[in-house]
Amino acid sequence: MNTSHDYLRSTTRRSGAEALRLLQCHAVLRQRSATARSLCFFVGISIVIHHTNVWIGLAAAVLITVTEAADLYLLRDVTRAGLSLGNYRKFRKLCTISALVQAIASSVIIAIIWVVPPGASGHLYALAFWGAATVYAGMSLGYNRQIAMVHICVYCAAVMAMYLFELSFGATPTPGQINEFLAVLLASYLIGIGLIAMERQSKMIVAQQREFSEQKVRLERMNDALEEKEKYARKLALVAENANDSVIISTPRGVITWVNETFCRATGYTSEEAIGRRMGDLLNGEETDPQAVQEIIGVIETKKPIRTQLINYVKSGEKKWVEVSIFPILDDQGEISMIINVERDITAQKEHEIQLSQARVAAEEGARAKTDFLATMSHEIRTPMNGIVGMADLLIQSGLNDEQKVFAETIIQSGDSLVQIINDILDLTKLDADKLDVESVPFALMSCFETSLSLLRPIASDKGLELRFSETSPIPSTVTGDPGRLRQILLNLLGNAIKFTSEGEVHVLVGWDENSHELSVEVRDTGVGIALERIEAIFEKFSQAESDTTRKFGGTGLGLTISRLLAEKMGGNITAKSSLGEGSSFFLTLPLTEVASVQDNKEEPPAETNVEVLTGLKILVAEDNKTNRLLIDKYLSKYDCELTFAEDGAAAVAAAKSIQPDVILMDISMPKLNGHEATRQIRKEPTCASIVIIALTANAFQSDKDECIAAGMDGFLTKPIKKRDLLKGIAEYAPKRQQ
Ligand code: ADP
């Protein structure tokens, strides 16, 4: 149990501010008791005048008034704003000195009263004033012990001094005087006890006041915080009330305790209908995703906010997609006190998403259908073209007159153009769909130019054009890139330059930029030129410089489009400069990576095929199309080789096992068993391991070639095929397995 001492000890630790306040209390106390003190002084001065004379009385009055006035003047400064933490020590010192002076002055008057009245009455008067002065001084003990003690000590010292003086210089003390002295000691003791009790009392009051004021400050702070919270809560309530999203407050178990207006509008439930119901029971239905519901329930465990999407059912039974944000609110103990759910209607967004994904699927299906259609068309056109071009090829060699020869050659050229158009369209479709892959292999740059130039040189010289090649700066011998696609671009630019030039020259200028590692190619001609306003248009699909270009020069307007797309795909570009009637320049730039020289596997210029290789060869032709079988028979029958035909894949497998041919020319699209499957079955047969299988197909994509090689074939030839190409292909692949 706390005693008053403990309480005092615990509460008497003063702060600087409190010391100021207590000094001010002391000053107030002194000021308030000034009138009572003045009355005492008046009585004392009257006694002095009565027993001495006016002058001594006046002198005493002046002394006491001056010291009292000085003290009050000082104390007035203390009670006013003059006192601060900075000057507290100074004021306390001044007050202490003033108290000392005043106590001495009062003691002088008490001493006069002690001696002047006759008999024992002087002592009585003096002791009465001494007692009163000591009690008044002691009242300040609780506020400023130092000043109070100065007063008390001076008064006590004065009385003691007076007794000592009497004992030292007077006669032997009488029993009455001794009793008086003892009574004074007793009175001192009793006054002392009283003052100590008073001091404690006032200290307790001071401590209580301090406690009260601290409590008051705490309370004020709490009130302020509460007010802030209330304001914040009012704002939140306002926001929640007027939010565009539905706001639902529920207990941790999901029982709704509050909903806003938007919730009522969105769901059709009034707040009375909603409050008290469990959210799941009210809003979830058969299409609500159970996983999303589990996620929401999981908030009770994790105590973390989540966001999810699910289907809610409104009062009318209509489904709504909502995005739910769940915020668990925790109390001081960290437990969930309530859950705030904010729900946003995203039905329109979801529908849009579904439409978009349906549109995407439709677009993908469309693109796939387009690719399939083109692939089928390519195959279907190439198959009869094989007959047309092949037969025309045979026709030329059958001893026609000159006019007939021109007719047959025109058939072949038209067939080639048709196949070129198919190739271009397939390339363009792939480029548009970003499905065309470019290679990155090391190749000899110069031989790429040489092959392109040597292919077109005969055409140029037929037209009487000079085909020149110059290096403006040395080009690297080996680079990595796609040589096939580079050649395709060069052939297109060179082919156009020759096609659109009737006299003069075609000049190819190549250079290499060391800094940007870029190859630059200019194909310059002295041909018809292009009008300035048509220059960009010629790079568009199916676009030509003039409306009569096709009639005059042929072509479809796809070559430059494909070339530019290819150049861009490889990180470069193609631009053109031209003036009508004066010729054109096409500029190709292509970033390429220089590498250490590789073996120059440059293509040999087309040479006459060594037909010797056919001698004694057993060739199995797996082909379901009658015309194509006839064509190959005509191509090969005059050579010293043994031809066998199989009309489907299964027959091809059987024939391969029985006759053990050296070479199989394998069509891919065949009844019963396609070319791939037939190849796989043949390859399973150990006795057939050395047979050379060459695909001869109208499926002309790189992916088709890859598939054939993966199935176990050795070579790949595409239809329509001319005799020369077939012989070359057999001559190239046939020795492969025998090696
Ligand atoms: P194509 O040559 O098959 O028509 P291109 O896309 O290769 O298709 O060329 C588009 C058009 O650009 C050509 O039809 C022609 O009008 C014009 N053109 C291309 N190269 C030249 C050139 N060197 N001189 C004049 N016109 C050209």
Side-chain angles (χ1 to χ4, degrees):
M1 214 174 89
N2 269 357
T3 62
S4 59
H5 283 90
D6 297 334
Y7 179 71
L8 267 177
R9 250 199 308 279
S10 67
T11 52
T12 47
R13 261 173 273 118
R14 290 172 185 175
S15 63
E18 193 176 87
L20 290 189
R21 196 171 63 79
L22 289 177
L23 187 61
Q24 280 172 335
C25 283
H26 159 76
V28 170
L29 199 72
R30 293 287 301 170
Q31 283 166 345
R32 283 196 187 150
S33 58
T35 319
R37 276 201 311 280
S38 305
L39 205 65
C40 284
F41 293 138
F42 177 73
V43 174
I45 299 297
S46 304
I47 292 170
V48 172
I49 293 173
H50 179 69
H51 291 289
T52 57
N53 57 46
V54 175
W55 296 113
I56 295 177
L58 272 179
V62 169
L63 177 68
I64 201 72
T65 308
V66 168
T67 53
E68 181 72 17
D71 193 43
L72 284 175
Y73 183 76
L74 191 63
L75 293 173
R76 197 190 60 162
D77 269 2
V78 170
T79 51
R80 289 191 182 168
L83 183 66
S84 68
L85 278 177
N87 60 19
Y88 167 75
R89 282 177 179 282
K90 189 185 99 186
F91 266 106
R92 200 173 67 147
K93 206 171 172 184
L94 284 174
C95 287
T96 310
I97 295 167
S98 157
L100 180 68
V101 172
Q102 202 202 13
I104 292 169
S106 303
S107 299
V108 168
I109 297 182
I110 290 170
I112 295 170
I113 293 171
W114 178 277
V115 287
V116 290
S121 61
H123 285 203
L124 287 177
Y125 282 131
L127 287 172
F129 284 117
W130 167 77
T134 310
V135 169
Y136 273 126
M139 279 160 68
S140 277
L141 270 172
Y143 303 118
N144 199 305
R145 180 171 254 271
Q146 184 179 314
I147 297 172
M149 284 310 287
V150 165
H151 274 285
I152 292 168
C153 290
V154 171
Y155 294 142
C156 290
V159 170
M160 287 304 137
M162 282 183 282
Y163 272 117
L164 280 175
F165 181 79
E166 271 191 6
L167 283 175
S168 314
F169 298 101
T172 316
T174 62
Q177 281 175 316
I178 292 168
N179 277 336
E180 182 193 297
F181 182 69
L182 290 175
V184 168
L185 283 182
L186 183 65
S188 303
Y189 173 69
L190 292 176
I191 288 171
I193 291 175
L195 288 179
I196 288 167
M198 241 161 71
E199 185 190 7
R200 279 192 187 148
Q201 190 69 26
S202 50
K203 274 185 178 170
M204 276 174 73
I205 291 168
V206 166
Q208 272 170 357
Q209 277 175 348
R210 183 167 62 230
E211 185 80 347
F212 284 147
S213 66
E214 279 171 7
Q215 262 180 14
K216 197 176 150 207
V217 170
R218 277 202 296 273
L219 259 165
E220 275 170 5
R221 278 193 198 138
M222 274 161 69
N223 266 344
D224 287 350
L226 218 71
E227 216 169 281
E228 274 301 305
K229 269 189 181 168
E230 249 174 45
K231 270 191 208 159
Y232 187 61
R234 268 201 300 275
K235 269 189 214 158
L236 279 185
L238 220 64
V239 171
E241 194 60 54
N242 296 298
N244 283 332
D245 296 334
S246 298
V247 181
I248 307 150
I249 299 178
S250 70
T251 65
R253 299 177 61 78
V255 177
I256 298 172
T257 55
W258 186 86
V259 291
N260 70 350
E261 270 295 314
T262 312
F263 172 87
C264 298
R265 265 200 312 276
T267 61
Y269 290 111
T270 62
S271 57
E272 289 76 19
E273 285 170 326
I275 291 170
R277 301 276 304 275
R278 283 172 61 86
M279 281 185 53
D281 299 345
L282 191 69
L283 300 170
N284 297 166
E286 57 180 16
E287 283 184 49
T288 306
D289 181 5
Q291 208 180 327
V293 175
Q294 278 312 314
E295 253 183 86
I296 294 171
I297 292 171
V299 168
I300 299 170
E301 290 264 304
T302 61
K303 298 176 183 166
K304 296 223 168 86
I306 60 151
R307 178 177 292 190
T308 185
Q309 295 182 349
L310 80 172
I311 291 176
N312 269 352
Y313 289 80
V314 298
K315 193 174 176 184
S316 63
E318 198 189 333
K319 283 190 301 185
K320 296 258 180 193
W321 266 103
V322 288
E323 186 179 74
V324 194
S325 301
I326 307 221
F327 307 94
I329 306 294
L330 307 184
D331 60 18
D332 294 344
Q333 281 78 48
E335 295 303 322
I336 298 177
S337 60
M338 62 173 164
I339 293 177
I340 298 178
N341 304 259
V342 180
E343 296 193 349
R344 176 167 296 179
D345 189 341
I346 53 162
T347 312
Q349 183 189 326
K350 274 278 166 191
E351 275 167 7
H352 187 59
E353 269 173 30
I354 291 165
Q355 279 168 2
L356 269 180
S357 98
Q358 282 170 348
R360 197 176 55 240
V361 170
E364 279 167 8
E365 268 170 18
R368 206 175 309 125
K370 184 175 156 194
T371 313
D372 289 351
F373 169 76
L374 284 169
T376 312
M377 284 305 292
S378 159
H379 181 266
E380 294 310 315
I381 292 171
R382 277 168 194 275
T383 306
M385 282 310 293
N386 198 35
I388 296 169
V389 174
M391 288 303 171
D393 194 22
L394 286 172
L395 210 58
I396 289 172
Q397 293 157 33
S398 66
L400 300 178
N401 65 31
D402 285 350
E403 194 185 20
Q404 288 167 331
K405 230 179 185 170
V406 171
F407 295 159
E409 276 168 3
T410 311
I411 295 174
I412 293 178
Q413 275 167 18
S414 304
D416 285 346
S417 302
L418 192 57
V419 171
Q420 187 54 47
I421 290 170
I422 295 167
N423 287 343
D424 282 354
I425 290 177
L426 289 176
D427 272 352
L428 195 65
T429 317
K430 283 189 171 185
L431 280 164
D432 276 350
D434 201 19
K435 290 225 170 104
L436 190 126
D437 296 322
V438 287
E439 277 190 315
S440 182
V441 293
F443 67 97
L445 193 51
M446 191 53 94
S447 74
C448 195
F449 286 102
E450 281 168 1
T451 31
S452 306
L453 286 163
S454 64
L455 269 174
L456 294 175
R457 191 156 272 125
I459 305 171
S461 68
D462 278 357
K463 288 185 81 177
L465 300 175
E466 194 186 344
L467 188 52
R468 291 207 290 140
F469 178 83
S470 338
E471 251 181 290
T472 53
S473 55
I475 59 170
S477 63
T478 311
V479 290
T480 48
D482 190 330
R485 294 297 178 185
L486 174 58
R487 205 174 305 119
Q488 185 177 347
I489 296 172
L490 290 175
L491 286 175
N492 177 252
L493 297 181
L494 273 169
N496 278 347
I498 295 167
K499 184 162 74 170
F500 294 105
T501 306
S502 50
E503 56 184 26
E505 61 166 26
V506 171
H507 193 173
V508 181
L509 302 104
V510 297
W512 178 255
D513 187 330
E514 281 291 346
N515 298 322
S516 58
H517 297 271
E518 234 175 30
L519 173 74
S520 61
V521 181
E522 182 186 349
V523 180
R524 195 188 288 169
D525 66 51
T526 53
V528 293
I530 306 158
L532 191 65
E533 67 277 8
R534 294 293 298 159
I535 284 192
E536 267 312 299
I538 59 171
F539 289 99
E540 286 164 18
K541 288 173 199 165
F542 301 107
S543 173
Q544 296 182 317
E546 306 290 339
S547 56
D548 59 355
T549 305
T550 306
R551 189 168 43 79
K552 282 194 193 156
F553 301 96
T556 55
L558 279 180
L560 282 177
T561 315
I562 293 169
S563 296
R564 183 181 259 185
L565 286 173
L566 281 174
E568 285 172 356
K569 180 105 187 146
M570 294 189 279
N573 197 11
I574 296 178
T575 52
K577 217 166 73 182
S578 182
S579 70
L580 211 52
E582 286 177 20
S584 317
S585 281
F586 284 81
F587 304 92
L588 162 71
T589 52
L590 209 59
L592 293 166
T593 315
E594 286 175 82
V595 286
S597 271
V598 290
Q599 198 191 349
D600 185 0
N601 52 352
K602 78 176 169 192
E603 287 170 31
E604 292 297 325
E608 278 310 302
T609 309
N610 176 15
V611 289
E612 292 285 295
V613 79
L614 292 169
T615 310
L617 269 191
K618 271 199 269 179
I619 302 175
L620 171 63
V621 181
E623 171 65 68
D624 63 325
N625 184 291
K626 197 172 148 205
T627 314
N628 288 340
R629 285 201 303 273
L630 175 67
L631 183 71
I632 291 168
D633 185 34
K634 293 286 174 205
Y635 277 171
L636 300 178
S637 56
K638 73 171 190 179
Y639 299 102
D640 188 14
C641 56
E642 194 183 308
L643 280 177
T644 311
F645 291 91
E647 294 180 16
D648 59 61
V653 176
K657 287 181 194 170
S658 61
I659 63 168
Q660 295 285 311
D662 302 301
V663 173
I664 302 177
L665 294 175
M666 182 75 82
D667 185 24
I668 300 301
S669 305
M670 286 187 292
K672 294 190 185 166
L673 219 58
N674 67 29
H676 300 132
E677 199 43 49
T679 304
R680 275 191 276 273
Q681 292 197 9
I682 293 167
R683 287 286 178 237
K684 273 189 209 155
E685 216 38 58
T687 51
C688 298
S690 63
I691 300 174
V692 172
I693 305 178
I694 304 169
L696 181 54
T697 173
N699 301 330
F701 294 118
Q702 178 64 36
S703 56
D704 297 317
K705 182 177 178 180
D706 296 343
E707 219 177 322
C708 289
I709 302 299
M713 298 191 203
D714 302 288
F716 186 81
L717 297 172
T718 55
K719 294 174 188 168
I721 190 153
K722 289 177 202 137
K723 182 178 169 184
R724 189 181 47 141
D725 297 331
L726 179 65
L727 293 178
K728 191 171 158 250
I730 296 172
E732 184 187 340
Y733 297 119
K736 269 202 170 170
R737 288 198 178 249
Q738 274 102 44
Q739 279 167 4

